[in-house]
Amino acid sequence: MMISVRPGDTLSYYSKLFRIPVNLIEEANPKVDSSNLKVAEKIVIPGYVTVPYTIQAGNTIWELAITNKIAEDTLFLLNPTKDVDQLKVGETLFVPEKIVTPFVKFHSPLNYKRLEKLIQSFKKVYPFIRVTTIGTSVEGKPIQEIRIGKGAKKIHINASFHANEWITTMVLMSIVNNYLLSLTNGTVMNGQKVNQWYEDIELSIVPMVNPDGVDLVVDGPPAKLQRKLIEINDGCDDFIHWKANISGVDLNNQFPANWDICRKNKLPKAPAPRDFPGEAPLTEPEAIAMAKLAENNRFDLIIALHTQGEEFYWGYEGYEPEEAEALAKEIEYFSGYQAIRYVKSHAGYKDWFIQEFKRPGFTIELGKGINPLPLSQFPEILKRGEAIFSAVLSH
């Protein structure tokens, strides 16, 4: 929501007027000199949208403020050219409306196009977030990253490495949505106050690592690749269980953490719907983008959301640091998921991160059943996912 600066206005005053933390207003307006606001300068207020209201007989500024639970001066700010002391029946007045419910309401699987629209909605209402492109998929779709907070501790969470695990993107975007709502409304997540998280942590989110694969599972193959993909899919035109990227490479078998062992042990020796690790590590653009992201940021810890199993893995070949065990116990306690230190698996993103940086990494297997998990599990999976999110950011 945009307003214009008046003589004497300050960001602190806007913070009190709209009940939004001043640091969120400052970071939503990075080019504004908060100590020297200029009259008529445009300021974005996060967490709000403007809605038109048609004046009815008997309406007054005071009555509209009471009805909408807002301060009277917000109406003056949003309607600077109108004589709000002399409201005219039929005239349109703009009223600030605070966003208090999630954008994310899923009744069907989330494909890449819907994800893009959702990210743009977040960016519009919560302009203190930063959205960047870290790379592109095989088919040229931007792989987007969302950044929240500017703290010294850096935490990364990703979803949908695997195409048929698209529900992880829905869970992660819902968690992010609830986090943003808590920041702008002063509410809690899982009993935790979130403002300190924002101050202490820079959160990196990649909600869909494998956009081509997700679209293949959700929407079917693009016409130009249909014949090739059906051939890779053993002649089947049903891609519901497809796990790999659009080239038939399993992105979570692409990282240089004993990749040669992974290649030797995995049965597919050519592009396949799942498990083929490629001809070499880091051949796929999606995997390359994720590796560069970690190398350029040196995250303090990473979480990769997968399905299914209601368990999580937190060690790799003894490279995991001592503090990882304490956090694993917390995640286990708050989520109810079983903590497993080692599994006979290599070349995963978590494996490589632990080996490369000697910092905590976790692969979380959300839910239980056969992938893709049904949307009927979404509420319970989200509940466990938020518990994990809160445990990690509070640790």
Side-chain angles (χ1 to χ4, degrees), residues 216 221-222 225-233 239 242 246:
L216 175 62
L225 297 174
Q226 186 171 6
R227 181 178 296 179
K228 176 184 177 182
L229 290 169
I230 289 175
E231 183 180 338
I232 294 174
N233 202 33
F239 296 89
W242 187 281
I246 203 79

Side-chain angles (χ1 to χ4, degrees), residues 14-28:
Y14 295 151
S15 173
K16 293 175 183 177
L17 187 65
F18 292 102
R19 291 168 291 134
I20 295 289
V22 69
N23 62 326
L24 298 185
I25 299 176
E26 289 172 344
E27 287 161 25

Side-chain angles (χ1 to χ4, degrees), residues 72-128:
E72 289 180 52
D73 197 28
T74 63
L75 295 171
F76 288 99
L77 265 171
L78 285 180
N79 301 276
T81 62
K82 296 189 184 303
D83 184 0
V84 291
D85 289 325
Q86 298 292 328
L87 299 181
K88 298 176 182 178
V89 174
E91 187 178 31
T92 298
L93 203 68
F94 290 101
V95 177
E97 182 178 286
K98 197 169 193 181
I99 301 299
V100 296
T101 57
F103 288 119
V104 181
K105 294 178 181 178
F106 294 122
H107 305 290
S108 59
L110 185 68
N111 63 14
Y112 179 74
K113 184 175 289 187
R114 287 179 62 205
L115 173 67
E116 274 195 314
K117 289 181 179 178
L118 188 56
I119 291 174
Q120 287 307 308
S121 295
F122 283 4
K123 181 65 177 172
K124 183 177 180 180
V125 176
Y126 306 107
F128 52 85

Side-chain angles (χ1 to χ4, degrees), residues 137-328:
S137 67
V138 172
E139 287 294 290
K141 295 184 179 78
I143 300 170
Q144 295 185 303
E145 181 202 28
I146 302 168
R147 291 283 177 117
I148 308 171
K150 292 188 176 181
K153 187 175 184 180
K154 295 179 181 292
I155 294 176
H156 168 76
I157 309 176
N158 63 64
S160 289
F161 252 98
H162 289 144
N164 63 346
E165 297 174 8
W166 44 259
I167 201 170
T168 59
T169 294
M170 298 167 67
V171 169
L172 185 52
M173 290 300 284
S174 293
I175 291 171
V176 169
N177 199 166
N178 291 338
Y179 181 35
L180 295 172
L181 279 170
S182 293
L183 283 169
T184 53
N185 286 279
T187 55
V188 299
M189 287 184 71
N190 280 67
Q192 301 288 324
K193 293 183 178 180
V194 302
N195 295 72
Q196 198 60 49
W197 295 348
Y198 188 88
E199 290 296 314
D200 294 342
I201 297 165
E202 183 179 44
L203 184 62
S204 160
I205 300 289
V206 177
M208 191 177 285
V209 176
N210 184 6
D212 298 339
V214 169
D215 279 358
L216 175 62
V217 173
V218 173
D219 299 325
K224 65 179 181 178
L225 297 174
Q226 186 171 6
R227 181 178 296 179
K228 176 184 177 182
L229 290 169
I230 289 175
E231 183 180 338
I232 294 174
N233 202 33
D234 296 325
C236 180
D237 62 359
D238 184 351
F239 296 89
I240 191 170
H241 298 300
W242 187 281
K243 191 176 180 182
N245 75 345
I246 203 79
S247 298
V249 176
D250 190 320
L251 295 177
N252 207 40
N253 290 332
Q254 264 277 286
F255 295 89
N258 287 316
W259 177 89
D260 53 337
I261 297 175
C262 178
R263 176 64 191 269
K264 179 180 178 181
N265 291 342
K266 293 293 183 181
L267 184 60
K269 303 302 179 185
R274 57 178 295 155
D275 297 337
F276 177 57
E279 298 295 343
L282 297 178
T283 59
E284 303 307 294
E286 301 93 343
I288 293 169
M290 292 301 291
K292 286 183 177 178
L293 180 69
E295 290 168 348
N296 292 338
N297 287 276
R298 304 281 169 155
F299 298 116
D300 292 287
L301 69 89
I302 63 105
I303 294 175
L305 297 181
H306 290 255
T307 57
Q308 45 77 39
E310 295 187 347
E311 59 191 21
F312 64 94
Y313 317 123
W314 60 275
Y316 184 68
E317 300 286 287
Y319 291 111
E320 66 279 1
E322 289 184 11
E323 64 265 25
E325 184 171 9
L327 182 51

